[in-house]
Each structure stands twice: as C-alpha cells, then as structure tokens.
Amino acid sequence: MNRKKIVAGNWKMNTSFPEAIKLAKEIMAAQTNDEVIKIFFPPHIFLHEVTEQVKQKTLFFTGAQNCSEFEKGAYTGEISATMINSIGCKYVLVGHSERRLYFNENAHQLKSKIEQALKHNLHVVFCFGEQLSERKSNLHVETVNRQLTEVLENFNGEQLNNIILAYEPVWAIGTGETASPQQAQEMHANVRDCIEKLFGSSIASNISILYGGSCNPANAKELFACKDVDGGLIGGASLKADDFCKIINSF
Ligand code: PGA
C-alpha cells in the first residue's frame, strides 16, 4: 500500500494578495510533519505568486480551485488546465459542492474538467458528498456511489493514479458540524469499496481519500486516525496559519 497523506487548504474566495503570500509563508516556515503533502488552493489571481513560494520547499504544492472544461479559446473569464500547468501548479479541485450548487456544474462538465486536467498533467482532487436531506433519508451511500460512478467510471486505472478523492458531506462544510470519525470511516470505507468495484483492488488500496467539512485542530486527530481517512481538505481553518499547521501535525 502506497497511500499518500495529504492536507490541503481550500482558501475559496478569501485573502488579499499580501494576505495570501503571508499565509503561505507562515505555514511553510512552521515545523510541520514531513510525511504529509501540503497543498494550497489560493484564488486563481494569486496562484502564480503562491506557486513561486511553494517551489522553494519540498512537499508543498499549489492547486487551482477550478479549471475550464474546454481546451482553449473564446471562453471569457475561464482558466484552462494548460494555463494552470504552465505556471508550475500541480493540482486542481474538481466537483467542490460550492461549484456544483452555485454554478450548477454537472457530472458531464466535471468529467470534461478531469479529462482536461489529466491531459495537461495536473493531479485532480475530486470532491463529492451528500446533502443533509440525503443523509437524513439514509441515501448518503447511494448518493456518493452515484457521484463517483457517473464521473469516474470511464477513466482508466492509470488515470486514477492521478486522482485524489475528497469526501465532503455538504452539511458539514462551513457549518461547524463535522462528521463523526465513525461516519467518516464508514463512508471512506464505502468509497474505497466503490473504487474497488470500478477499478480493482490495487487502485482502491492506493488512492488517497481526504475528509472535508469543518475539520479543525480539535477534531483532525480523531478523523485522521480512521483507517481509510488519508488526510483533509480544509476550508475555514486553512486561513489561519497556526490552525492549518496543527491540522497537518495531527497525523
Ligand atoms: P470547511 O470547508 O473546512 O470550511 O468546512 C471545507 C471545504 O469546503 O473544502
């Protein structure tokens, strides 16, 4: 088994330019676990400068919060996977619930975005997770398996090596309500089973599955101790250097 431990910070639409640089520098200057891959997802406009910063330190990388489903051309306001790759940025988030909910991104678009990202040598962090109503009606497992299957099923094993999964129950994102370690472990084990059915046991045992949703320094240790939780995708707590470092050091 060759699963990577990853802690990623999704800064969303936060920080000014000086704040973004300061945040990255403070985190990189701190003592953090060197078994963990750290990824910053700053706003696009700061991606180049933050990428220049992380190039100076091993195990630190950047990712874009989104990329276009198209290759290039007349798509005003969009940013392509080639552009992201051309500045030395290595990752891209695809399928975050805020993109699905507020920008109506559907499975077809998410598939195209992943195709673009992989074609241009980016690693994908693919996010999925159920809504509160789905959990309450006991449809969470079915929902997650559908979200995984409809987007990933036509990719091949080699492509899956460049995909990281992030289970983010929508009811836990930015709400302060975290999935319990039991709920997280149960779902992560289910996700690994679903990936095994689609791509076989070797891919399933090697793929990293991150947990996201109100993960913070107080709950990260318990969550990361779960057998099938390989790290976290952190929103709010990634904006405070100290909190983010504590989360990294929770492994
Ligand atoms: P949160 O966000 O940690 O603020 O809940 C997580 C995410 O949206 O990736």
Side-chain angles (χ1 to χ4, degrees), residues 34 36-37 45 65-66 85 97 122 170 208 210 229 232-233 248:
D34 56 14
V36 178
I37 294 174
I45 192 167
Q65 293 176 18
N66 182 28
N85 172 285
S97 66
L122 298 174
V170 179
S208 294
L210 314 184
V229 176
L233 179 55
I248 296 169

Side-chain angles (χ1 to χ4, degrees), residues 97-217:
S97 66
E98 287 149 20
R99 302 289 323 169
R100 294 177 191 253
L101 240 53
Y102 307 144
F103 303 97
N104 299 315
E105 292 188 1
N106 60 37
H108 172 74
Q109 288 169 300
L110 301 182
K111 236 190 291 183
S112 305
K113 285 175 187 235
I114 295 177
E115 270 163 22
Q116 280 297 319
L118 296 178
K119 180 173 170 198
H120 297 290
N121 299 318
L122 298 174
H123 298 272
V124 171
V125 178
F126 176 59
C127 310
F128 52 89
E130 81 282 1
Q131 312 260 4
L132 183 59
S133 57
E134 289 160 333
R135 181 160 281 265
K136 281 192 168 155
S137 7
N138 210 23
L139 291 171
H140 47 295
V141 168
E142 194 180 318
T143 301
V144 160
N145 291 355
R146 178 183 38 79
Q147 289 174 330
L148 287 168
T149 309
E150 69 190 0
V151 172
L152 297 180
E153 69 181 340
N154 292 324
F155 290 99
N156 62 41
E158 202 185 319
Q159 290 172 307
L160 260 284
N161 287 330
N162 292 315
I163 297 179
I164 294 156
L165 302 176
Y167 168 57
E168 299 203 299
V170 179
W171 48 271
I173 296 180
T175 58
E177 194 180 335
T178 322
S180 67
Q182 292 74 11
Q183 286 172 319
Q185 171 54 30
E186 182 194 49
M187 185 56 89
H188 282 228
N190 164 68
V191 168
R192 219 175 280 290
D193 276 356
C194 181
I195 295 295
E196 179 166 351
K197 287 194 186 99
L198 290 170
F199 303 104
S201 61
S202 160
I203 302 280
S205 61
N206 285 317
I207 199 161
S208 294
I209 310 175
L210 314 184
Y211 168 79
S214 297
C215 185
N216 60 42

